[in-house]
Amino acid sequence: MATSYDVAVIGLGGMGSAAARHLAARGRRVLGLERFGPAHDRGSSHGGSRIIRQAYFEHPDYVPLLLRSYELWEELCRDSGADLMTTTGGLMLGRPESRTVAGSRESAEKWGLPYEMLDAGDIRRRFPTFAPADDEVALYEARAGFVRPEATVDAHLRLAARDGADLRFGEPVLSWAPLPGGEGVRVVTGAGTYTAGHAVVCPGAWAPELLAGLGVPFTVERQVQYWFAPRGGTAPFRPGRHPVYVWEDAGGTQVYGFPAYEGEGDGVKTAFFRRGTAASPDSLDREVHPGEIADIAAHLAARVPDLPGRFLRGAACMYTTTPDEHFVIAAHPGHPQATVACGFSGHGFKFTPVVGEILADLATTGATRHPIGLFDPRRALTGGAAVCSPDRRDAHEVTP
């Protein structure tokens, strides 16, 4: 049996890499295990950009975590020397009563966040790349922008390794289980068996297998990101002229997008939000099909008319979604030797640094000052009650 560690981090994507960094910075002996390579494109933490915002339509309870996350993003940029976050301003568009607009406004007002409300005429004058209908409005948040997922994972991994973490790639976890007597965990991979005082399990789309005993009905969905070369070039779509945005139509469909930025060539990225299809992480369809391209181009043509000029490329990724679309971050209810972080439902990456801090808190002290009650896996979930059944499986297995 291999050397024992203080904490084994299972999965080194967005959340796992952040947990490894925070744990190693606290002087813990950290083992990090990842089935693929560092900062890979086989899961959910890739695609060049993710929106970051504070006026949060998903639920006002996320805002305190976002405020801390912004602080930690700035700290991570300083410590790593990497360019990870760009502030562009952000528009949350739709009818006034839409979840995107009304929910964002509710969060902003509850927490005293600065924002502006714009009517359709205001939007057209200030941001001429957009063509809202007369009955649509937008909440504008100046502090919104985007972060870079691959570079963020790389930065967290580099800092974790600098502080002594033992990071192992190409080593999928086959099972983990409490040690007899409950003192620590045993983790089995294709390369060996390890013991640790605690496990932090961040399995991404492999949560349904590695956390089967948690009782949460996760759904893994295939999502597609698209890059277009706008008609007339990218100049009107550069930061300062074209913000990040989430736009909800009258039927509830949301599309989101980014400005053109350095490193993306002539491309401007866009995608539907939560319009995926059920998928398996081990057999994900990574081809982007002509019908999918035509669908999003038609949706954009009436809203961002110059964007769907020439299709450049697409990329498939995965959401791991809970029925209420809120996260799971908690001590495992059946196994106090483990902490879990999963089910980020397509809106989690902006929280990566603060989730890493929370996981380090829970793994080392069993508690955190951050408000995470919303993310308890034992909460009632539409589509099934998330009640842990410790006797379902003592070992949490996944096929290699």
Side-chain angles (χ1 to χ4, degrees), residues 6-85:
D6 294 328
V7 185
V9 179
I10 299 173
L12 294 173
M15 305 309 172
S17 64
R21 183 267 171 119
H22 281 278
L23 285 161
R26 298 183 189 190
R28 297 312 194 268
R29 293 172 297 159
V30 176
L31 170 67
L33 296 166
E34 168 57 51
R35 65 176 48 239
F36 301 112
H40 61 81
D41 65 354
R42 312 306 290 175
S44 303
S45 298
H46 64 279
S49 55
R50 294 289 187 276
I51 289 176
I52 187 165
R53 52 194 167 90
Q54 294 182 348
Y56 216 61
F57 62 77
E58 285 84 350
H59 199 288
D61 286 359
Y62 285 90
V63 174
L65 298 178
L66 286 162
L67 298 177
R68 176 58 177 159
S69 194
Y70 266 66
E71 294 174 350
L72 290 171
W73 279 110
E74 294 171 359
E75 177 185 295
L76 180 61
C77 291
R78 290 194 304 269
D79 291 350
S80 67
D83 180 13
L84 304 175
M85 183 170 67

Side-chain angles (χ1 to χ4, degrees), residues 108-126:
E109 292 181 350
K110 178 174 180 177
W111 293 101
L113 303 176
Y115 71 93
E116 298 176 67
M117 292 304 303
L118 309 179
D119 64 22
D122 297 327
I123 298 165
R124 297 182 197 118
R125 283 189 295 273
R126 289 179 58 174

Side-chain angles (χ1 to χ4, degrees), residues 136-343:
E136 291 183 308
V137 300
L139 180 144
Y140 177 72
E141 179 186 351
R143 291 209 68 194
F146 64 90
V147 293
R148 295 165 173 80
E150 295 94 337
T152 298
V153 172
D154 178 72
H156 277 137
L157 293 175
R158 285 191 290 107
L159 292 172
R162 181 199 68 184
D163 291 336
D166 181 3
L167 306 178
R168 304 190 179 203
F169 300 96
E171 193 168 341
V173 170
L174 306 182
S175 67
W176 67 272
L179 288 168
E183 296 296 327
V185 295
R186 177 184 290 112
V187 181
V188 180
T189 76
T193 299
Y194 307 91
T195 61
H198 198 90
V200 172
V201 188
C202 305
W206 286 264
E209 295 103 304
L210 274 174
L211 292 172
L214 194 62
V216 177
F218 298 109
T219 300
V220 177
E221 297 178 354
R222 173 182 174 272
Q223 305 285 339
V224 181
Q225 306 165 84
Y226 306 86
W227 286 260
F228 289 92
R231 284 186 289 271
T234 58
F237 289 85
R238 295 289 178 187
R241 303 181 69 181
H242 182 81
V244 298
Y245 62 94
V246 180
W247 198 328
E248 182 176 343
D249 70 12
T253 296
Q254 292 169 303
V255 67
Y256 67 93
F258 301 82
Y261 62 93
E262 187 177 351
E264 289 293 85
D266 294 330
V268 177
K269 179 183 169 183
T270 187
F272 285 115
F273 189 32
R274 298 199 185 98
R275 194 176 174 181
T277 55
S280 166
D282 295 311
S283 58
L284 182 70
D285 179 7
R286 298 190 179 276
E287 181 181 355
V288 179
H289 302 280
E292 295 175 316
I293 300 165
D295 190 18
I296 195 162
H299 192 88
L300 290 167
R303 295 168 175 84
V304 195
D306 289 334
L307 179 53
R310 178 169 53 90
F311 175 71
L312 297 176
R313 67 184 187 279
C317 69
M318 292 176 284
Y319 289 1
T320 307
T321 301
T322 65
D324 62 7
E325 298 174 353
H326 296 313
F327 310 156
V328 173
I329 307 172
H332 193 297
H335 303 305
Q337 311 90 335
T339 300
V340 298
C342 51

